[in-house]
Amino acid sequence: MEPPFPALLCLLGLLATASGAAECPSSTWIPFRNSCYIFLQGTLEELDNIDEARNLCKNNASGADIISIKNKEENTFIQETFKNHWQGPDYISLGMFFDTDDDAFKWFDKSEMKFTNWIEEESNEDLLNTCASMYTKSGEWKKISCEDLPLTGILCKTAFAYEKKYLPATAVRSHPARPQHPSLGRGRGPKAADSILGLHQHAERERRCPLP
C-alpha cells in the first residue's frame, strides 16, 4: 500500500537529509565548501602571541584552529567575506610559520601547503621566526615577524561536523558490487547487508522523489 501523502513524506525526508549534511558549530560561523569560519574580535582579551590565538580558536569549537588557506577560491572567499560581512581590520594573522628545519612555510593545523599569495617574493630573506598576515583588502599575504602579528581579531576555521562522523560516499563503492542472492546476510555480517539495503533504499527514494 502506498503511504499517505507521499509527496509530503518525500519533502520531509529530503529536509532531514539536508539538515544533517553539513553543520557549523553555531549560526555565527560562516560555511564555505567543507569548512566553517568565524572572525573573533571586539570582546577579545589582549592576546600576547600566536599560541594564545590558536587556543582561542580551539576553545570555540572542536577541531578549530587559526586560519589555513588551501587554494585561490578559499582565499577569495575570505577576502570577500571581510568586505561584505566581517568588516574587520586591514591585516589579520594567518596560521602559518616558517619551519627552519625544512626550510619551508607550514600551516599550524598541518594542512598541506598547496597555495600561496605573497605580496612580494624576496630572495635572501632572513626567515627565522617568520609568520604571515593577510591584507584583507586585496587578499595578499605578507611575511611578518611572529612577534609582530596582528592579534586584535582572529580568524578561525574548522571542518564540517559531519566529516568527522560519517564515512565519505566513496566508501560505499570501495568494493565491487556483488550479485544479489536469497541468502543475503548469511555469513556476510550485518555491515555488508546494511550497505546493500541502504543502496536499495536510496534507489527507492529516487523512484518516489524524482528530481525536477
Side-chain angles (χ1 to χ4, degrees):
M1 172 183 284
E2 275 303 301
F5 309 107
L8 177 59
L9 293 177
C10 278
L11 178 60
L12 292 175
L14 292 173
L15 288 174
T17 301
S19 66
E23 295 182 358
C24 290
S26 73
S27 60
T28 56
W29 292 71
I30 297 178
F32 177 73
R33 295 190 176 178
N34 295 331
S35 300
C36 302
Y37 306 78
I38 189 171
F39 184 62
L40 303 173
Q41 64 173 339
T43 59
L44 299 182
E45 296 180 0
E46 186 174 350
L47 301 175
D48 292 327
N49 52 56
I50 191 71
D51 291 329
E52 291 185 3
R54 294 185 67 198
N55 287 333
L56 181 68
C57 292
K58 293 176 181 180
N59 291 336
N60 269 269
S62 175
D65 208 331
I66 191 169
I67 186 68
S68 62
I69 301 175
K70 294 182 178 179
N71 50 50
K72 181 178 180 180
E73 291 75 19
E74 186 177 18
N75 200 79
T76 300
F77 158 77
I78 292 169
Q79 178 194 351
E80 290 297 319
T81 308
F82 266 101
K83 176 182 176 182
N84 301 321
H85 182 76
W86 291 319
Q87 300 177 348
D90 288 346
Y91 284 93
I92 61 165
S93 297
L94 297 178
M96 180 194 298
F97 68 100
F98 185 77
D99 187 334
T100 54
D101 292 335
D102 292 337
D103 195 32
F105 279 95
K106 295 183 178 181
W107 295 111
F108 281 111
D109 66 4
K110 303 186 185 305
S111 297
E112 188 176 352
M113 182 73 66
K114 294 182 178 180
F115 168 79
T116 61
N117 197 35
W118 300 113
I119 291 176
E120 76 289 328
E121 288 285 356
E122 296 181 10
S123 58
N124 303 322
E125 288 182 286
D126 181 8
L127 297 176
L128 182 65
N129 194 33
T130 298
C131 291
S133 63
M134 173 193 277
Y135 182 50
T136 59
K137 298 291 190 293
S138 67
E140 293 177 300
W141 305 357
K142 181 179 180 180
K143 301 181 183 90
I144 186 173
S145 167
C146 295
E147 297 176 354
D148 297 328
L149 281 171
L151 299 174
T152 55
I154 303 300
L155 180 58
C156 305
K157 171 183 175 180
T158 189
F160 278 148
Y162 81 90
E163 288 193 329
K164 302 175 183 178
K165 296 179 181 178
Y166 303 102
L167 291 173
T170 53
V172 179
R173 300 191 295 271
S174 61
H175 299 287
R178 298 178 180 179
Q180 296 185 37
H181 191 275
S183 61
L184 177 63
R186 299 175 187 172
R188 291 187 179 179
K191 290 186 178 179
D194 288 346
S195 296
I196 297 175
L197 179 59
L199 292 174
H200 280 292
Q201 291 174 339
H202 176 73
E204 181 65 15
R205 286 197 299 269
E206 290 284 329
R207 184 184 70 81
R208 293 175 179 273
C209 307
L211 293 175

